[in-house]
Amino acid sequence: MSQHLFSCSDNIIEVRFQGATNLGDMYIPSTDDKVKQQIMDALRVRDQGENIIGLCGSVKRVKHFAKTAIRRAERDQLFQEIITTNVTKKPDITKIQAQIGKAIGLNFDDKGVVVKSTWWKFGNNKRITTAERAALLCAKMKELQTVLVVLYDVHGKLDLGEIGIPFGDDHNGCKILVTSTSVEVLSKKMKVHKLIQISET
């Protein structure tokens, strides 16, 4: 029989041990199952107070949980669009904007040039500023009733407005899932609304 400790305090969920137990026909869910359910519950909530969800733990573990959540969200058709992007230790805003834009049909190259766009204001093959790209991305995402943006590997404060990601009063249907190895980054710098902390053991 495997053992686990599952604690929940305020909006912080911490996984201590993993494993599932079968006692005859009775199934006791593992802490991994419980935390996956916590993530899915957070994604389903349509509340302006829970738009940004943080997953904290080792890179391998948080990526596993994030990918599982994405598969389940796709299966349950929770979002019209699911967007993923890698942030890394030194964020390249132009590259992040390009990755997000490509997912929603607004394509920029690595230098911020509009490669393929229906936006007559800028036309094709024209260099635009970071702020202009952010405005285009924000407007495009607002056309989607529901959208999930997954930001992998965040190491510090990331200005969502600078990138062009709407949330809260700006777009209540936009959920943001942020992964990091640092609790401080998620709680103090990204100011996530719900923090789920995953331990190895």
Side-chain angles (χ1 to χ4, degrees):
M1 178 175 177
S2 62
Q3 295 181 341
H4 63 264
L5 171 64
F6 180 77
S7 62
C8 180
S9 175
D10 297 326
N11 281 334
I12 300 179
I13 299 98
E14 185 172 4
V15 178
R16 292 293 189 185
F17 291 84
Q18 58 178 322
T21 302
N22 284 285
L23 298 177
D25 294 330
M26 182 174 66
Y27 174 78
I28 300 175
S30 69
T31 47
D32 276 14
D33 289 336
K34 290 179 180 179
V35 79
K36 287 171 185 176
Q37 189 58 51
Q38 289 283 345
I39 297 170
M40 295 311 298
D41 289 345
L43 292 179
R44 287 189 175 93
V45 171
R46 293 292 177 256
D47 184 342
Q48 293 180 7
E50 288 191 9
N51 291 96
I52 308 176
I53 304 156
L55 294 184
C56 183
S58 68
V59 172
K60 183 178 179 180
R61 290 278 284 164
V62 294
K63 201 158 193 176
H64 165 71
F65 278 94
K67 287 185 174 181
T68 299
I70 289 170
R71 287 195 298 270
R72 292 184 178 185
E74 290 173 337
R75 178 197 66 193
D76 298 344
Q77 299 182 329
L78 296 183
F79 302 95
Q80 285 180 262
E81 200 70 59
I82 297 177
I83 303 164
T84 63
T85 182
N86 292 304
V87 177
T88 71
K89 190 173 290 186
K90 295 182 179 179
D92 184 331
I93 300 301
T94 299
K95 186 171 290 187
I96 293 170
Q97 289 178 320
Q99 290 176 339
I100 294 173
K102 184 177 181 180
I104 57 177
L106 183 62
N107 297 328
F108 310 110
D109 68 10
D110 287 341
K111 296 180 180 178
V113 175
V114 179
V115 176
K116 182 180 179 182
S117 173
T118 57
W119 298 82
W120 61 270
K121 182 177 180 181
F122 298 101
N124 292 335
N125 300 318
K126 184 182 187 306
R127 185 181 299 278
I128 60 177
T129 66
T130 299
E132 288 171 332
R133 288 193 302 275
L136 289 172
L137 289 171
C138 185
K140 193 74 171 175
M141 277 196 270
K142 284 182 178 180
E143 292 178 5
L144 300 168
Q145 187 174 358
T146 55
V147 57
L148 172 63
V149 181
V150 182
L151 303 173
Y152 286 118
D153 199 21
V154 176
H155 290 261
K157 181 175 174 56
L158 193 67
D159 189 332
L160 300 178
E162 182 184 8
I163 296 170
I165 302 173
F167 65 95
D169 290 337
D170 214 20
H171 190 351
N172 195 38
C174 181
K175 288 279 188 175
I176 303 160
L177 187 63
V178 186
T179 77
S180 178
T181 57
S182 168
V183 171
E184 183 177 357
V185 166
L186 292 171
S187 62
K188 296 183 178 179
K189 296 186 178 181
M190 290 305 297
K191 299 185 184 302
V192 300
H193 301 138
K194 180 178 282 292
L195 174 59
I196 300 174
Q197 188 175 347
I198 306 163
S199 297
E200 288 292 330
T201 57

